[in-house]
Amino acid sequence: MVEVLVVAHGGGHLPGLERIGGPLCEAHVIAGLHDSVEVVTQQEATPARALFMMPMARIVHVAAHGLTHPNRWAAGLALHGGSLGEATLTSSGILAEGVFSSVDLVVLNACRTGTHQGTGRTVQTLRSIESAFLARGAKAVISTLWDITDLQGVVFSAVLHAHLGVGADSHTAYTETIRYLRGHRWRASSERGPVFAAESAIDTILPDWRSHLDRQVTENPLFWAAFKITGVV
């Protein structure tokens, strides 16, 4: 059993799934913030392999394209496969084959994993892909309420896992990460602790990330509110 399993796919292999760099950056950053990490990326990151390996980790992190659908059971995460149907880890697939009773935290760092594509005037209930993980035993799930950029995903993941890597529980790690993002704390570099480790990890692959994040925050000041945590926290 490993501490953290990272499943990352940047798309680009099927029509309609543009290639994004964020998932592979996240995998690289997270791998350096824990002592025991298994990373599965690109061609190896099929839905079947992901579901097989997830029960073997205490923390599961998925970085990929998120796919919404009017049929909530067809919504999911775009991983690797010969067609979109084969590549999508769907809510129905998770409910049918997922076993997550030993998983403390699932991080679904993809667009709209914490919401569903309703039809008409519907109440937004727990029908998204996060609900499938919770139903199959995951103690807590971090998901997103709307689209996020690659950079937002990378920074959120780095700070979150830096706190998890030093022993913080899921709620504390999430709370500290939101405080970091909401308070724009990247503008004053940290000199020690988990945040220093997170910022240093991002610096190695994205040297100008602070200025780029500043520009994105100008366009969307509430970007930090996209991330939510659900479950036993």
Side-chain angles (χ1 to χ4, degrees):
M1 188 168 183
V2 297
E3 180 72 5
V4 182
L5 170 69
V6 181
V7 179
H9 201 292
H13 64 303
L14 293 173
L17 288 180
E18 65 174 306
R19 181 172 294 278
I20 53 176
L24 298 185
C25 288
E26 286 180 45
H28 177 80
V29 167
I30 294 168
L33 294 170
H34 293 273
D35 294 329
S36 176
V37 183
E38 182 83 18
V39 177
V40 180
T41 63
Q42 298 302 90
Q43 288 88 347
E44 296 181 351
T46 64
R49 186 169 186 192
L51 281 174
F52 174 76
M53 296 185 68
M54 284 175 178
M56 304 176 190
R58 188 178 72 83
I59 299 170
V60 172
H61 184 107
V62 184
H65 281 287
L67 303 174
T68 57
H69 196 281
N71 176 358
R72 59 173 167 160
W73 309 117
L77 298 153
L79 300 179
H80 198 78
S83 66
L84 188 59
E86 291 179 2
T88 305
L89 177 58
T90 61
S91 293
S92 60
I94 293 165
L95 287 170
E97 301 180 34
V99 180
F100 309 118
S101 56
S102 61
V103 179
D104 288 343
L105 176 66
V106 176
V107 183
L108 302 177
N109 211 20
C111 294
R112 299 179 180 272
T113 53
T115 186
H116 68 272
Q117 185 178 332
T119 56
R121 294 184 177 180
T122 59
V123 176
Q124 193 69 218
T125 57
L126 195 62
R127 297 181 180 179
S128 57
I129 188 172
E130 70 174 356
S131 65
F133 282 96
L134 292 167
R136 297 302 296 158
K139 295 178 180 64
V141 179
I142 291 175
S143 58
T144 60
L145 290 168
W146 53 77
D147 291 351
I148 58 173
T149 68
D150 273 0
L151 182 57
Q152 291 166 8
V154 170
V155 176
F156 177 87
S157 297
V159 179
L160 177 77
H161 281 275
H163 285 288
L164 291 170
V166 296
D169 59 62
S170 300
H171 178 265
T172 301
Y174 168 81
T175 300
E176 290 301 317
T177 302
I178 294 300
R179 285 175 178 166
Y180 176 87
L181 298 176
R182 188 175 184 179
H184 301 174
R185 295 182 183 177
W186 64 86
R187 291 174 177 168
S189 299
S190 181
E191 297 181 356
R192 61 185 182 277
V195 171
F196 173 76
E199 293 178 340
S200 298
I202 304 171
D203 285 338
T204 62
I205 55 174
L206 300 170
D208 299 325
W209 66 275
R210 288 178 175 83
S211 60
H212 289 297
L213 190 57
D214 278 337
R215 285 195 290 272
Q216 291 185 14
V217 170
T218 300
E219 297 171 2
N220 181 15
L222 294 178
F223 79 101
W224 55 270
F227 303 95
K228 68 169 181 170
I229 188 167
T230 309
V232 181
V233 294

